[in-house]
Amino acid sequence: MSLFRSRRSFKPVAMDPARELPRELLTELLTDAHWAPTHGLTQPWRFQVFATLPARERLAAGLQLIYDAITPTAKRDPAKRAKLAASPRSAPVVIALLAHVQPGGKIPDWEEIAATSCAAQNLMLSAHAHGVASYWSSPPAATSPEFVRWLVLDETHRAMGLLYLGYASPSAAVPTSTRLPLNERVTWHEV
Ligand SMILES: Cc1cc2nc3c(=O)[nH]c(=O)nc-3n(C[C@H](O)[C@H](O)[C@H](O)COP(=O)(O)O)c2cc1C
């Protein structure tokens, strides 16, 4: 089956936290991401890489602080809060994905976010080609302006969630996934 169709989202809990990704491999994946298409060559993607345990612990604590700050008391869920910290401990690499936008500039925000999404897909497909599992996660804590500020970035950045990378645990089964019949998503214009 093709690379595109066999890529699966692996939850961080299914990744082996003890098996680190070599820095050269991580750089290779990021370079593939960096070659995504971009209107006006603005290259709007920004990758903040957390690839050591201390860095991932700091991220875990930061996400919980942001969760507490942005979640109304009535909606707080201890399980969701715990998962925000557990996931960065499970995966050996977490990348905070951000798009840089230009308020009032020539390229609208949606194009910069679309280009950054292309970079994310490049990264996930490159990971898959190298036998590395990936998972894009978008909890409110990691897509909020508060997260942008926590990363010490200004308001011209949009947080687009977290990309988890790691080798699948030997015991982890490859997740299954489905898609609707293609003809439910394609309209052929014949005339
Ligand atoms: C922009 C984006 C955000 C996502 N956020 C989440 C998320 O927060 N939680 C989650 O379980 N999966 C998330 N996913 C992954 C999807 O759940 C996953 O792609 C879908 O289940 C299909 O599985 P597959 O990628 O293995 O085909 C996200 C995917 C994308 C593209």
Side-chain angles (χ1 to χ4, degrees):
M1 198 189 280
S2 81
L3 185 71
F4 307 94
R5 296 185 212 174
S6 60
R7 179 207 52 78
R8 290 282 68 80
S9 297
F10 277 76
K11 302 251 180 208
V13 71
M15 296 177 187
D16 185 347
R19 200 169 158 208
E20 292 189 356
L21 264 67
R23 174 67 77 103
E24 303 72 40
L25 174 57
L26 196 44
T27 303
E28 180 77 10
L29 305 185
L30 289 162
T31 304
D32 285 342
H34 191 45
W35 277 92
T38 154
H39 189 179
L41 264 187
T42 57
Q43 302 157 73
W45 41 83
R46 301 290 185 271
F47 307 110
Q48 298 253 343
V49 183
F50 297 81
T52 65
L53 188 57
R56 289 185 283 120
E57 288 287 359
R58 197 169 63 79
L59 174 66
L63 289 170
Q64 287 194 321
L65 280 179
I66 294 167
Y67 180 85
D68 295 342
I70 67 173
T71 314
T73 316
K75 293 206 167 164
R76 285 192 195 157
D77 176 346
K80 278 190 185 163
R81 188 179 189 278
K83 202 170 140 200
L84 279 176
S87 295
R89 290 181 184 131
S90 299
V93 177
V94 192
I95 300 175
L97 178 69
L98 298 114
H100 180 256
V101 297
Q102 320 157 19
K106 179 181 144 220
I107 315 284
D109 289 9
W110 80 262
E111 293 196 40
E112 304 297 36
I113 290 166
T116 303
S117 302
C118 292
Q121 176 73 337
N122 271 14
L123 200 151
M124 293 191 293
L125 288 173
S126 180
H128 180 44
H130 288 88
V132 174
S134 67
Y135 180 68
W136 190 343
S137 166
S138 49
T143 54
S144 62
E146 286 79 1
F147 188 48
V148 173
R149 283 195 285 277
W150 185 83
L151 290 165
V152 201
L153 294 170
D154 67 22
E155 68 287 351
T156 62
H157 296 82
R158 302 283 176 271
M160 293 176 58
L162 305 168
L163 294 171
Y164 290 93
L165 298 174
Y167 291 101
S169 296
S171 58
V174 176
T176 54
S177 195
T178 59
R179 294 297 185 269
L180 294 166
L182 180 64
N183 61 17
E184 293 190 21
R185 289 294 181 271
V186 178
T187 304
W188 299 90
H189 293 260
E190 309 284 10
V191 287

